[in-house]
Amino acid sequence: VIALGAGLRGPDDLAFDRDGNAFFTEPHDDRVMRATRDGHVDVWVDGLPSANGITISESGRLFIDECRPGGRLIEIQTNEPNQWRVVLDDIGMPNALEMGPDGWLYLPEVSANRVLAVEPDSGETRVVVADVFAPSSVKFDHRGRLVVPDAVSGYVTVVDLGPGDRAHLRTANPDRP
């Protein structure tokens, strides 16, 4: 538990490493915070404009994206503060991302109305979903399918990346069937 006033001012997203540390993005303060298991909070990386989505891979690699025009995908070292590298830049408003079962990072490119897959070492990209409108996040379900909420239509689309099959899981918009 992190006490009120202990250093977090506006956390947006979080991820946990293997040691029980929690990492938080704070987009309004352009930073990533770390909270240790004993509740100590510190600035882990500063100067990342609109730091927003965050995920940690099974191997312990920490990634964030900046939800802004021309945003970046950043890898952050978990063992030493202020150590990071740009994986990819000039992304159209990336938001809540996730590491896929294939080892690629998946992120919604909100302003481009698509979902990108990014190879985390090389920065190679491929478009995996090209026609969702303002995708707000991506997650993988228990079957390894990509789940994409569409903020404009309210549809939640599920994509089986192997064969590319797509279905609408449901809609959050009561005016849509």
Side-chain angles (χ1 to χ4, degrees), residues 24-148:
F24 300 86
T25 54
E26 290 194 318
H28 299 292
D29 292 316
D30 302 334
R31 64 189 187 180
V32 174
M33 303 294 288
R34 182 189 68 165
T36 62
R37 294 178 77 169
D38 63 5
H40 176 76
V41 178
D42 52 3
V43 176
W44 199 249
V45 178
D46 205 1
L48 300 175
S50 301
N52 190 3
I54 190 167
T55 192
I56 293 183
S57 71
E58 283 187 26
S59 64
R61 295 172 71 181
L62 176 65
F63 297 91
I64 67 109
D65 60 30
E66 300 169 334
C67 189
R68 62 183 176 90
R72 301 177 295 180
L73 173 62
I74 307 285
E75 180 176 11
I76 295 173
Q77 296 301 311
T78 58
N79 58 351
E80 187 175 342
N82 290 309
Q83 300 297 312
W84 54 276
R85 74 175 180 93
V86 175
V87 176
L88 182 65
D89 62 3
D90 200 26
I91 308 168
M93 300 285 295
N95 203 1
L97 71 159
E98 186 164 33
M99 181 67 72
D102 58 0
W104 286 55
L105 288 160
Y106 289 77
L107 58 90
E109 198 172 10
V110 178
S111 63
N113 299 315
R114 64 186 186 179
V115 175
L116 289 180
V118 181
E119 200 289 317
D121 293 319
S122 68
E124 175 188 344
T125 64
R126 67 179 190 262
V127 175
V128 293
V129 181
D131 56 353
V132 287
F133 301 100
S136 57
S137 66
V138 296
K139 298 298 174 200
F140 285 88
D141 71 7
H142 66 284
R143 296 182 194 160
R145 299 177 304 175
L146 183 67
V147 180
V148 184

Side-chain angles (χ1 to χ4, degrees), residues 129-175:
V129 181
D131 56 353
V132 287
F133 301 100
S136 57
S137 66
V138 296
K139 298 298 174 200
F140 285 88
D141 71 7
H142 66 284
R143 296 182 194 160
R145 299 177 304 175
L146 183 67
V147 180
V148 184
D150 180 323
V152 173
S153 71
Y155 286 115
V156 177
T157 301
V158 178
V159 181
D160 186 333
L161 296 174
D165 297 335
R166 290 175 60 153
H168 290 300
L169 184 62
R170 60 179 76 255
T171 181
N173 185 340
D175 298 330

